[in-house]
Amino acid sequence: MADRMVVEAGRGVTRRGALLGGAAAAAGALAAPAVHAQGPVTLRFVGTAVNQHQGIKDKVKEDLGVNLEYIAVTSDDVVRRAVTQPNSFDLMDLEFWMARRVVPTGNLVGLDTKRIKLADEITPALTRGEVGGRKLGSQGLAPWKILYMEGREAKGFAAKQTEWMTIIPTVYNADTLGIRPDRISRPIESWAELLNPEFRGRASILNVPAIGIMDAAMAVEASGRHKYADKGNMTRQEIDLTMAALTEAKRAGQFRAFWRDFNESVNLMASGEVVIQSMWSPAVTKVRSMGVPCVYQPLKEGYRAWAQGMGVPKTTTGRRLDAAYEFINWFLSGWAGAFLNRQGYYSAVLSTAQKHMEPYEWAFWMEGKPAERDIRAPDGTVMEKAGAVRDGGSFEQRMGSVACWNAVMDENDYMVRRWNEFIAA
Amino acid sequence: MSSSRPDAGGAAVLGAAAPSAPAARAGARTRRRPSGPGAAPYLQAAPLALVLLLFLVLPLLVTAAVSLWDYTEFTLVPDATLRNYREMFEGCLSGGACGTLRTYLSTLRLCALTLAVTLPLGFAVAYFLAFHVRSDGARTALFLVCTAPFLTSNVIRMISWIPLLGREGVVNRTLLGVGAVERPLDWLLYSEFAVVLAFVHLYTLFVVVPVFNSLMRIDLRLIEAARDAGASSPQILLHVVLPLAKPGLAIGAIFVGTLVMGDFVTVGVMGGQQIASVGKAIQTHAAYLQFPAAAAQSVVLLAVVLMMIAALTRLVDVRREL
Amino acid sequence: MEFAAVTKRFGVAAGAAAVDALDLRIPAGAYCCLLGPSGCGKTTTLRMLAGHEAPTEGDIVLDGANVTDLPPARRGTAMMFQSYALFPHLSALDNAAFGLRMRGAGKAERRARAREMLALVHMEAFENRLPAQLSGGQQQRVALARALVTNPSALLLDEPLSALDPFLRGRVRAELKRLNRELGITFVHVTHSQDEALALADLVVLMRAGRIEQQGTPEDVFDRPRTAFAARFMGGHNVFPDAGGGGRVAVRSDLTRLAPPGSPGALDAVVRAVEYTGTGFALTLAGAGTDELTVLQDETERRAHPAAPGDRVGLTWAEADARRLAAD
């Protein structure tokens, strides 16, 4: 597709331009290619639709002259695509636990940190697991464990910092339970409430096995039934135990439904079918924007965090690789970071994002202060009225309380089978 | 010259598929004719056979082959292992129902419930269309009405059930309002009921069409003959119309059965992801790149569905209808 | 069995009546043939009798009871349909037993009776076959058995022989006549073939455009046609202008004689064709404004008047053989 775009772009040039282009091509055969003489580059960008904003696409075109061609797939398909069709894209937006599954196939190459201007500015929350001097929980697949590779074409991860990054972090967040405060008239403080029979028929979790089981593990651990060594990498016994707890709850009618995508979780909550469930931050915001009270409830056991970044397949080379680096650099340079922060996510390089945000916005989203005026989403809709305070408070409070990270277990095959059995139970 | 003729004729016999062979002389032609009627039907069937081979048989063979492969977290390992089948039925033999068995029971149960509603309902609609609607125009219009569920996307259709059937939905609010119930009915949504309702809403058409086709073939004189023999309307329905609609009902049952057996979207959304279906299990495996496990599940599902179809075709001579 | 001023109109508009003010009495046990060209109303009449059509006006009386508004099963009639209308999913035996089954007869009882009926039509050896596995003639026998199984007082047959080959037709004809005799029930048989009607009927009812043109014994209807239509439809007659009055007369072909051309009182005609029929000769002639004249000569006559195609001849007949025709 990118090649086709290049050809089409070349078709409109004048005769003189064509001659010049021909000369450049001829010169390129002898010396290094003159990259920018050939019109705009198109990058095929695979990721979930949630992160593919028209606003970013337009801005990239404006700032870099690069065409982003979004290819929206479900999160399941991100990994499948990276493993089975690495030729079908130039750039990929994926979670760290997904990268852990793709890197061993050799389909993703390490990215040269020397070409990433702001590599050193990436938040220590991801690179070292520190926020404001506090050590973050490292259960699961914490980004810093797999952030680096030994070389460009390595198939494994480096134990220490190298000049090759697996994926360049772009966005991350701390997930917790969403609740309906109008239907639960008492404080909710623990993950254990997810399995509390008080909410029988009104609870929900995510039907994505790898993540659902971690939410379940948070609840099981919070209820004191078991202490996990690593909730993101359970033993078979721990998987059995967790699934048994879930199965017991399911049979007792604890869950109203499980959800699979963003909209389902919003519908469940907004319609009142569910009053407590695992949720994503923007989904809570969405429910609230519908006029339905909803709180992204901080819990004493901490958050389950996730982080996402950009990876490049081995097949992206030459101009497209240059454009990919250019795009990643642009992404870290602030405009996109502010764009993400305004939706309740966190951007990888905070300092640049801050420059693109109004002080009152920064104070609300990052410092946990009451909003001085209405908080608006990037598209202009009002997300929070003046005076509101962000659930969970400041960046330090929220990210500092991360207990575990989204992961894929060594016993993933076994876990998936048990999950299927749980659904059948 | 004459000595070269037999050779030319021989070549023409061998090259029977090439009608423009230069040896199309009288002698050669008479010898070539017998091979024509033999080969032509095969040639005519060849394009379709090729398409089926490429897009049906081949993928099935690949699926069957992959179901014997081994896999790790990142790779598929060509192999001839029964691991996937063994794991699928793990625990089944040691008494008690294993996950796979329960999943199949759950899916078959949905299938049976859906058939129990769609067959009578589809028959009733087809009966009305065939015997009570006289004008072809009205019939076409009513058929279009039947296809209405397919005019919106699957996702929108299913999301729309929530405000209707939800705990705070229209139905529950009405029931509460008139005092029919004291608290909202939970089983209206995210339940087996909801799944079957959605299936019925979608798939009744697949019963209506073949049954309608069967009913339209019934010679109206048969009904007159039955009435002449003293049959009442219910008796005519039971002893004449229903038996003659059986092929249509069987085809409808095959349509609905296979659709339900392979479904994972409707079961997922309407069942609140809490009801097991074979399709869902396959999807979960595929999502985690466990293609051999998914392939093994698919092979077993295919076998089960084929057995269902075989049983139905034994009950009813479907070929007569086609 | 009686029709009293029965009229049937189809459609909403009061158009031409399919059956127009029909009056007809059929004696019990008779074999009655409703005869006429297609569209004459004979089938509609039969269906009204059976109860599959409701008359627009008039009454139908069966065995002294007015059955106009009764459903088919309560009239004591049974109908045999033109295409037999056997139930394709039932065996011959179950087809024959159908009427009893609908009446709630037990399995053993209805099967025994159905076997009896199949035996009556010589189909006992085929009781397990489906209709599709039977020949046309066999299907018809099963249909007959099915109609007779409920002991009807009248059997109504709609063109029962039309789907059979000529050889089978003759045999079935004899069979029907035998059944009529043996069972003693009324047969009403719709046909467009005058041969069939003449061969079978005690009472021939010739219909035309919804009305009865003529009725009577076969001899009556054949030998004494009332109208030119009747004479032509029954066949075997020539219609001539009446020399005496202004009307027309019908003379049977075998009673029409050749005479030398120009003989006094003879009608001029030209021979078109001569066919040998085995028992004699059939001459086709043109004359008297028509080319549909026929003369049947036996061998004696042939020797006396050996006319060849193209010959001019005269046609004569005995005054006693001429039937004066009413205006159509």
Side-chain angles (χ1 to χ4, degrees), chain B residues 219 221-222 224-231 235 239-240 243-244, chain C residues 47 52 73 78-79 81 83 85-89 99 101-102:
Chain B
D219 188 344
R221 273 172 300 199
L222 291 183
E224 225 162 49
R227 184 162 293 130
D228 201 79
Q235 281 178 318
H239 295 290
V240 180
L244 293 175
Chain C
R47 290 171 57 78
H52 295 305
M79 183 147 167
F81 292 81
S83 56
L86 290 178
F87 302 118
H89 58 291
R101 191 175 177 196
M102 294 305 107

PDB file of all heavy atoms in Angstrom, chain B residues 219 221-222 224-231 235 239-240 243-244, chain C residues 47 52 73 78-79 81 83 85-89 99 101-102:
ATOM      1  N   ASP B 219     -49.803 -29.792  -3.397  1.00  0.00           N
ATOM      2  CA  ASP B 219     -50.932 -29.700  -4.307  1.00  0.00           C
ATOM      3  C   ASP B 219     -52.178 -29.415  -3.465  1.00  0.00           C
ATOM      4  O   ASP B 219     -52.506 -30.176  -2.556  1.00  0.00           O
ATOM      5  CB  ASP B 219     -51.045 -31.054  -5.022  1.00  0.00           C
ATOM      6  CG  ASP B 219     -52.073 -31.001  -6.125  1.00  0.00           C
ATOM      7  OD1 ASP B 219     -52.892 -30.057  -6.128  1.00  0.00           O
ATOM      8  OD2 ASP B 219     -52.060 -31.902  -6.976  1.00  0.00           O
ATOM      9  N   ARG B 221     -55.068 -29.808  -4.067  1.00  0.00           N
ATOM     10  CA  ARG B 221     -56.065 -30.880  -4.166  1.00  0.00           C
ATOM     11  C   ARG B 221     -55.869 -31.915  -3.070  1.00  0.00           C
ATOM     12  O   ARG B 221     -56.796 -32.607  -2.682  1.00  0.00           O
ATOM     13  CB  ARG B 221     -55.989 -31.526  -5.540  1.00  0.00           C
ATOM     14  CG  ARG B 221     -56.854 -30.773  -6.541  1.00  0.00           C
ATOM     15  CD  ARG B 221     -56.627 -31.301  -7.917  1.00  0.00           C
ATOM     16  NE  ARG B 221     -55.218 -31.146  -8.285  1.00  0.00           N
ATOM     17  CZ  ARG B 221     -54.799 -31.182  -9.543  1.00  0.00           C
ATOM     18  NH1 ARG B 221     -55.635 -31.382 -10.520  1.00  0.00           N
ATOM     19  NH2 ARG B 221     -53.530 -31.031  -9.818  1.00  0.00           N
ATOM     20  N   LEU B 222     -54.618 -32.014  -2.550  1.00  0.00           N
ATOM     21  CA  LEU B 222     -54.391 -32.947  -1.443  1.00  0.00           C
ATOM     22  C   LEU B 222     -55.185 -32.511  -0.224  1.00  0.00           C
ATOM     23  O   LEU B 222     -55.744 -33.330   0.507  1.00  0.00           O
ATOM     24  CB  LEU B 222     -52.903 -32.998  -1.083  1.00  0.00           C
ATOM     25  CG  LEU B 222     -51.967 -33.640  -2.099  1.00  0.00           C
ATOM     26  CD1 LEU B 222     -50.557 -33.673  -1.544  1.00  0.00           C
ATOM     27  CD2 LEU B 222     -52.431 -35.042  -2.428  1.00  0.00           C
ATOM     28  N   GLU B 224     -57.876 -30.701  -0.327  1.00  0.00           N
ATOM     29  CA  GLU B 224     -59.279 -30.948  -0.652  1.00  0.00           C
ATOM     30  C   GLU B 224     -59.605 -32.430  -0.460  1.00  0.00           C
ATOM     31  O   GLU B 224     -60.647 -32.789   0.097  1.00  0.00           O
ATOM     32  CB  GLU B 224     -59.516 -30.561  -2.114  1.00  0.00           C
ATOM     33  CG  GLU B 224     -60.762 -29.765  -2.298  1.00  0.00           C
ATOM     34  CD  GLU B 224     -60.742 -29.036  -3.625  1.00  0.00           C
ATOM     35  OE1 GLU B 224     -60.458 -29.679  -4.645  1.00  0.00           O
ATOM     36  OE2 GLU B 224     -60.993 -27.825  -3.622  1.00  0.00           O
ATOM     37  N   ALA B 225     -58.670 -33.265  -0.908  1.00  0.00           N
ATOM     38  CA  ALA B 225     -58.884 -34.709  -0.775  1.00  0.00           C
ATOM     39  C   ALA B 225     -58.991 -35.088   0.693  1.00  0.00           C
ATOM     40  O   ALA B 225     -59.812 -35.922   1.077  1.00  0.00           O
ATOM     41  CB  ALA B 225     -57.746 -35.473  -1.442  1.00  0.00           C
ATOM     42  N   ALA B 226     -58.154 -34.468   1.511  1.00  0.00           N
ATOM     43  CA  ALA B 226     -58.190 -34.773   2.938  1.00  0.00           C
ATOM     44  C   ALA B 226     -59.515 -34.317   3.539  1.00  0.00           C
ATOM     45  O   ALA B 226     -60.144 -35.037   4.322  1.00  0.00           O
ATOM     46  CB  ALA B 226     -57.028 -34.082   3.641  1.00  0.00           C
ATOM     47  N   ARG B 227     -59.950 -33.138   3.137  1.00  0.00           N
ATOM     48  CA  ARG B 227     -61.221 -32.631   3.658  1.00  0.00           C
ATOM     49  C   ARG B 227     -62.360 -33.543   3.198  1.00  0.00           C
ATOM     50  O   ARG B 227     -63.274 -33.854   3.950  1.00  0.00           O
ATOM     51  CB  ARG B 227     -61.440 -31.197   3.188  1.00  0.00           C
ATOM     52  CG  ARG B 227     -62.682 -30.567   3.772  1.00  0.00           C
ATOM     53  CD  ARG B 227     -62.670 -29.063   3.680  1.00  0.00           C
ATOM     54  NE  ARG B 227     -61.644 -28.488   4.528  1.00  0.00           N
ATOM     55  CZ  ARG B 227     -60.758 -27.601   4.121  1.00  0.00           C
ATOM     56  NH1 ARG B 227     -60.770 -27.181   2.868  1.00  0.00           N
ATOM     57  NH2 ARG B 227     -59.858 -27.125   4.943  1.00  0.00           N
ATOM     58  N   ASP B 228     -62.249 -33.988   1.959  1.00  0.00           N
ATOM     59  CA  ASP B 228     -63.254 -34.891   1.419  1.00  0.00           C
ATOM     60  C   ASP B 228     -63.317 -36.179   2.225  1.00  0.00           C
ATOM     61  O   ASP B 228     -64.377 -36.764   2.401  1.00  0.00           O
ATOM     62  CB  ASP B 228     -62.904 -35.211  -0.036  1.00  0.00           C
ATOM     63  CG  ASP B 228     -64.110 -35.702  -0.798  1.00  0.00           C
ATOM     64  OD1 ASP B 228     -64.913 -34.850  -1.198  1.00  0.00           O
ATOM     65  OD2 ASP B 228     -64.258 -36.925  -0.960  1.00  0.00           O
ATOM     66  N   ALA B 229     -62.127 -36.605   2.700  1.00  0.00           N
ATOM     67  CA  ALA B 229     -62.076 -37.835   3.484  1.00  0.00           C
ATOM     68  C   ALA B 229     -62.486 -37.594   4.921  1.00  0.00           C
ATOM     69  O   ALA B 229     -62.343 -38.468   5.762  1.00  0.00           O
ATOM     70  CB  ALA B 229     -60.676 -38.435   3.421  1.00  0.00           C
ATOM     71  N   GLY B 230     -62.921 -36.379   5.225  1.00  0.00           N
ATOM     72  CA  GLY B 230     -63.468 -36.128   6.554  1.00  0.00           C
ATOM     73  C   GLY B 230     -62.487 -35.509   7.531  1.00  0.00           C
ATOM     74  O   GLY B 230     -62.762 -35.444   8.723  1.00  0.00           O
ATOM     75  N   ALA B 231     -61.319 -35.062   7.050  1.00  0.00           N
ATOM     76  CA  ALA B 231     -60.333 -34.498   7.960  1.00  0.00           C
ATOM     77  C   ALA B 231     -60.745 -33.091   8.382  1.00  0.00           C
ATOM     78  O   ALA B 231     -61.169 -32.288   7.555  1.00  0.00           O
ATOM     79  CB  ALA B 231     -58.966 -34.466   7.295  1.00  0.00           C
ATOM     80  N   GLN B 235     -56.606 -31.815  11.726  1.00  0.00           N
ATOM     81  CA  GLN B 235     -56.177 -33.104  11.179  1.00  0.00           C
ATOM     82  C   GLN B 235     -55.435 -32.945   9.859  1.00  0.00           C
ATOM     83  O   GLN B 235     -54.437 -33.615   9.612  1.00  0.00           O
ATOM     84  CB  GLN B 235     -57.393 -34.019  10.975  1.00  0.00           C
ATOM     85  CG  GLN B 235     -57.853 -34.670  12.260  1.00  0.00           C
ATOM     86  CD  GLN B 235     -59.095 -35.523  12.044  1.00  0.00           C
ATOM     87  OE1 GLN B 235     -60.006 -35.118  11.322  1.00  0.00           O
ATOM     88  NE2 GLN B 235     -59.122 -36.689  12.646  1.00  0.00           N
ATOM     89  N   HIS B 239     -51.811 -34.378   9.541  1.00  0.00           N
ATOM     90  CA  HIS B 239     -51.613 -35.585   8.742  1.00  0.00           C
ATOM     91  C   HIS B 239     -51.207 -35.312   7.309  1.00  0.00           C
ATOM     92  O   HIS B 239     -50.735 -36.211   6.625  1.00  0.00           O
ATOM     93  CB  HIS B 239     -52.897 -36.434   8.744  1.00  0.00           C
ATOM     94  CG  HIS B 239     -53.232 -36.969  10.097  1.00  0.00           C
ATOM     95  ND1 HIS B 239     -52.495 -37.954  10.706  1.00  0.00           N
ATOM     96  CD2 HIS B 239     -54.212 -36.648  10.972  1.00  0.00           C
ATOM     97  CE1 HIS B 239     -53.008 -38.231  11.889  1.00  0.00           C
ATOM     98  NE2 HIS B 239     -54.056 -37.442  12.086  1.00  0.00           N
ATOM     99  N   VAL B 240     -51.410 -34.105   6.831  1.00  0.00           N
ATOM    100  CA  VAL B 240     -51.064 -33.828   5.436  1.00  0.00           C
ATOM    101  C   VAL B 240     -50.003 -32.736   5.340  1.00  0.00           C
ATOM    102  O   VAL B 240     -48.916 -32.957   4.816  1.00  0.00           O
ATOM    103  CB  VAL B 240     -52.314 -33.414   4.617  1.00  0.00           C
ATOM    104  CG1 VAL B 240     -51.921 -33.140   3.177  1.00  0.00           C
ATOM    105  CG2 VAL B 240     -53.361 -34.511   4.683  1.00  0.00           C
ATOM    106  N   PRO B 243     -46.502 -33.441   7.500  1.00  0.00           N
ATOM    107  CA  PRO B 243     -45.599 -34.429   6.890  1.00  0.00           C
ATOM    108  C   PRO B 243     -44.981 -33.939   5.592  1.00  0.00           C
ATOM    109  O   PRO B 243     -43.814 -34.196   5.319  1.00  0.00           O
ATOM    110  CB  PRO B 243     -46.506 -35.635   6.627  1.00  0.00           C
ATOM    111  CG  PRO B 243     -47.647 -35.478   7.539  1.00  0.00           C
ATOM    112  CD  PRO B 243     -47.842 -34.008   7.746  1.00  0.00           C
ATOM    113  N   LEU B 244     -45.739 -33.185   4.814  1.00  0.00           N
ATOM    114  CA  LEU B 244     -45.203 -32.721   3.540  1.00  0.00           C
ATOM    115  C   LEU B 244     -44.259 -31.540   3.726  1.00  0.00           C
ATOM    116  O   LEU B 244     -43.483 -31.214   2.834  1.00  0.00           O
ATOM    117  CB  LEU B 244     -46.348 -32.354   2.591  1.00  0.00           C
ATOM    118  CG  LEU B 244     -47.175 -33.561   2.145  1.00  0.00           C
ATOM    119  CD1 LEU B 244     -48.364 -33.135   1.315  1.00  0.00           C
ATOM    120  CD2 LEU B 244     -46.310 -34.539   1.365  1.00  0.00           C
TER     121      LEU B 244
ATOM    122  N   ARG C  47     -68.192 -30.529  -8.012  1.00  0.00           N
ATOM    123  CA  ARG C  47     -67.558 -30.010  -6.806  1.00  0.00           C
ATOM    124  C   ARG C  47     -68.590 -29.423  -5.846  1.00  0.00           C
ATOM    125  O   ARG C  47     -68.390 -29.464  -4.629  1.00  0.00           O
ATOM    126  CB  ARG C  47     -66.493 -28.969  -7.164  1.00  0.00           C
ATOM    127  CG  ARG C  47     -65.256 -29.601  -7.838  1.00  0.00           C
ATOM    128  CD  ARG C  47     -64.300 -28.568  -8.384  1.00  0.00           C
ATOM    129  NE  ARG C  47     -63.872 -27.651  -7.350  1.00  0.00           N
ATOM    130  CZ  ARG C  47     -62.948 -27.940  -6.436  1.00  0.00           C
ATOM    131  NH1 ARG C  47     -62.342 -29.090  -6.468  1.00  0.00           N
ATOM    132  NH2 ARG C  47     -62.635 -27.066  -5.510  1.00  0.00           N
ATOM    133  N   HIS C  52     -67.050 -29.037  -2.185  1.00  0.00           N
ATOM    134  CA  HIS C  52     -65.812 -28.259  -2.303  1.00  0.00           C
ATOM    135  C   HIS C  52     -66.058 -26.887  -2.894  1.00  0.00           C
ATOM    136  O   HIS C  52     -65.159 -26.066  -2.954  1.00  0.00           O
ATOM    137  CB  HIS C  52     -64.772 -29.020  -3.126  1.00  0.00           C
ATOM    138  CG  HIS C  52     -64.327 -30.284  -2.454  1.00  0.00           C
ATOM    139  ND1 HIS C  52     -63.817 -30.295  -1.173  1.00  0.00           N
ATOM    140  CD2 HIS C  52     -64.355 -31.571  -2.854  1.00  0.00           C
ATOM    141  CE1 HIS C  52     -63.536 -31.531  -0.821  1.00  0.00           C
ATOM    142  NE2 HIS C  52     -63.866 -32.337  -1.816  1.00  0.00           N
ATOM    143  N   ALA C  73     -67.481 -34.073   4.387  1.00  0.00           N
ATOM    144  CA  ALA C  73     -67.492 -35.339   5.103  1.00  0.00           C
ATOM    145  C   ALA C  73     -68.883 -35.696   5.625  1.00  0.00           C
ATOM    146  O   ALA C  73     -69.159 -36.854   5.908  1.00  0.00           O
ATOM    147  CB  ALA C  73     -66.504 -35.288   6.262  1.00  0.00           C
ATOM    148  N   ALA C  78     -68.102 -39.218  -1.629  1.00  0.00           N
ATOM    149  CA  ALA C  78     -66.644 -39.312  -1.646  1.00  0.00           C
ATOM    150  C   ALA C  78     -66.205 -38.953  -3.044  1.00  0.00           C
ATOM    151  O   ALA C  78     -66.857 -39.324  -4.026  1.00  0.00           O
ATOM    152  CB  ALA C  78     -66.187 -40.717  -1.291  1.00  0.00           C
ATOM    153  N   MET C  79     -65.108 -38.247  -3.127  1.00  0.00           N
ATOM    154  CA  MET C  79     -64.686 -37.756  -4.427  1.00  0.00           C
ATOM    155  C   MET C  79     -63.372 -38.401  -4.828  1.00  0.00           C
ATOM    156  O   MET C  79     -62.492 -38.617  -4.000  1.00  0.00           O
ATOM    157  CB  MET C  79     -64.528 -36.238  -4.366  1.00  0.00           C
ATOM    158  CG  MET C  79     -64.161 -35.617  -5.681  1.00  0.00           C
ATOM    159  SD  MET C  79     -64.877 -33.974  -5.825  1.00  0.00           S
ATOM    160  CE  MET C  79     -63.981 -33.353  -7.228  1.00  0.00           C
ATOM    161  N   PHE C  81     -60.293 -37.582  -7.282  1.00  0.00           N
ATOM    162  CA  PHE C  81     -59.827 -36.408  -8.016  1.00  0.00           C
ATOM    163  C   PHE C  81     -59.170 -36.791  -9.324  1.00  0.00           C
ATOM    164  O   PHE C  81     -58.661 -37.904  -9.491  1.00  0.00           O
ATOM    165  CB  PHE C  81     -58.869 -35.606  -7.141  1.00  0.00           C
ATOM    166  CG  PHE C  81     -59.546 -34.973  -5.968  1.00  0.00           C
ATOM    167  CD1 PHE C  81     -59.805 -35.707  -4.819  1.00  0.00           C
ATOM    168  CD2 PHE C  81     -59.948 -33.655  -6.016  1.00  0.00           C
ATOM    169  CE1 PHE C  81     -60.450 -35.133  -3.746  1.00  0.00           C
ATOM    170  CE2 PHE C  81     -60.587 -33.072  -4.943  1.00  0.00           C
ATOM    171  CZ  PHE C  81     -60.846 -33.813  -3.804  1.00  0.00           C
ATOM    172  N   SER C  83     -56.350 -35.932 -10.719  1.00  0.00           N
ATOM    173  CA  SER C  83     -54.964 -36.393 -10.660  1.00  0.00           C
ATOM    174  C   SER C  83     -54.782 -37.367  -9.498  1.00  0.00           C
ATOM    175  O   SER C  83     -53.681 -37.601  -9.057  1.00  0.00           O
ATOM    176  CB  SER C  83     -54.049 -35.196 -10.489  1.00  0.00           C
ATOM    177  OG  SER C  83     -54.440 -34.480  -9.337  1.00  0.00           O
ATOM    178  N   ALA C  85     -54.755 -37.189  -6.474  1.00  0.00           N
ATOM    179  CA  ALA C  85     -54.465 -36.511  -5.212  1.00  0.00           C
ATOM    180  C   ALA C  85     -54.182 -37.490  -4.089  1.00  0.00           C
ATOM    181  O   ALA C  85     -54.669 -37.342  -2.977  1.00  0.00           O
ATOM    182  CB  ALA C  85     -55.612 -35.567  -4.826  1.00  0.00           C
ATOM    183  N   LEU C  86     -53.363 -38.482  -4.378  1.00  0.00           N
ATOM    184  CA  LEU C  86     -52.953 -39.396  -3.303  1.00  0.00           C
ATOM    185  C   LEU C  86     -51.939 -38.681  -2.416  1.00  0.00           C
ATOM    186  O   LEU C  86     -51.155 -37.863  -2.892  1.00  0.00           O
ATOM    187  CB  LEU C  86     -52.318 -40.650  -3.901  1.00  0.00           C
ATOM    188  CG  LEU C  86     -53.276 -41.585  -4.638  1.00  0.00           C
ATOM    189  CD1 LEU C  86     -52.503 -42.756  -5.218  1.00  0.00           C
ATOM    190  CD2 LEU C  86     -54.371 -42.081  -3.695  1.00  0.00           C
ATOM    191  N   PHE C  87     -51.922 -39.020  -1.127  1.00  0.00           N
ATOM    192  CA  PHE C  87     -50.960 -38.395  -0.214  1.00  0.00           C
ATOM    193  C   PHE C  87     -49.585 -39.006  -0.468  1.00  0.00           C
ATOM    194  O   PHE C  87     -49.396 -40.204  -0.251  1.00  0.00           O
ATOM    195  CB  PHE C  87     -51.395 -38.601   1.229  1.00  0.00           C
ATOM    196  CG  PHE C  87     -52.759 -38.041   1.495  1.00  0.00           C
ATOM    197  CD1 PHE C  87     -53.807 -38.855   1.886  1.00  0.00           C
ATOM    198  CD2 PHE C  87     -53.016 -36.687   1.313  1.00  0.00           C
ATOM    199  CE1 PHE C  87     -55.072 -38.336   2.112  1.00  0.00           C
ATOM    200  CE2 PHE C  87     -54.280 -36.168   1.528  1.00  0.00           C
ATOM    201  CZ  PHE C  87     -55.300 -36.987   1.930  1.00  0.00           C
ATOM    202  N   PRO C  88     -48.641 -38.187  -0.940  1.00  0.00           N
ATOM    203  CA  PRO C  88     -47.366 -38.755  -1.394  1.00  0.00           C
ATOM    204  C   PRO C  88     -46.543 -39.367  -0.264  1.00  0.00           C
ATOM    205  O   PRO C  88     -45.659 -40.164  -0.521  1.00  0.00           O
ATOM    206  CB  PRO C  88     -46.644 -37.563  -2.017  1.00  0.00           C
ATOM    207  CG  PRO C  88     -47.303 -36.363  -1.467  1.00  0.00           C
ATOM    208  CD  PRO C  88     -48.708 -36.736  -1.156  1.00  0.00           C
ATOM    209  N   HIS C  89     -46.845 -38.995   0.991  1.00  0.00           N
ATOM    210  CA  HIS C  89     -46.026 -39.483   2.095  1.00  0.00           C
ATOM    211  C   HIS C  89     -46.612 -40.743   2.716  1.00  0.00           C
ATOM    212  O   HIS C  89     -46.061 -41.268   3.671  1.00  0.00           O
ATOM    213  CB  HIS C  89     -45.886 -38.394   3.143  1.00  0.00           C
ATOM    214  CG  HIS C  89     -47.205 -37.911   3.681  1.00  0.00           C
ATOM    215  ND1 HIS C  89     -48.094 -37.181   2.906  1.00  0.00           N
ATOM    216  CD2 HIS C  89     -47.792 -38.057   4.887  1.00  0.00           C
ATOM    217  CE1 HIS C  89     -49.167 -36.891   3.629  1.00  0.00           C
ATOM    218  NE2 HIS C  89     -49.014 -37.420   4.824  1.00  0.00           N
ATOM    219  N   GLY C  99     -59.435 -41.997   5.358  1.00  0.00           N
ATOM    220  CA  GLY C  99     -60.759 -41.518   5.778  1.00  0.00           C
ATOM    221  C   GLY C  99     -61.167 -42.094   7.126  1.00  0.00           C
ATOM    222  O   GLY C  99     -61.730 -41.390   7.974  1.00  0.00           O
ATOM    223  N   ARG C 101     -59.100 -43.194   9.414  1.00  0.00           N
ATOM    224  CA  ARG C 101     -58.215 -42.640  10.437  1.00  0.00           C
ATOM    225  C   ARG C 101     -58.749 -41.295  10.910  1.00  0.00           C
ATOM    226  O   ARG C 101     -58.751 -40.983  12.097  1.00  0.00           O
ATOM    227  CB  ARG C 101     -56.822 -42.487   9.841  1.00  0.00           C
ATOM    228  CG  ARG C 101     -55.768 -42.164  10.856  1.00  0.00           C
ATOM    229  CD  ARG C 101     -54.422 -42.155  10.189  1.00  0.00           C
ATOM    230  NE  ARG C 101     -53.381 -41.784  11.123  1.00  0.00           N
ATOM    231  CZ  ARG C 101     -52.178 -41.408  10.730  1.00  0.00           C
ATOM    232  NH1 ARG C 101     -51.888 -41.374   9.446  1.00  0.00           N
ATOM    233  NH2 ARG C 101     -51.275 -41.073  11.612  1.00  0.00           N
ATOM    234  N   MET C 102     -59.207 -40.484   9.967  1.00  0.00           N
ATOM    235  CA  MET C 102     -59.738 -39.172  10.325  1.00  0.00           C
ATOM    236  C   MET C 102     -60.985 -39.320  11.177  1.00  0.00           C
ATOM    237  O   MET C 102     -61.325 -38.449  11.957  1.00  0.00           O
ATOM    238  CB  MET C 102     -60.084 -38.369   9.057  1.00  0.00           C
ATOM    239  CG  MET C 102     -58.888 -38.003   8.209  1.00  0.00           C
ATOM    240  SD  MET C 102     -57.595 -37.122   9.109  1.00  0.00           S
ATOM    241  CE  MET C 102     -56.335 -38.371   9.241  1.00  0.00           C
TER     242      MET C 102
END
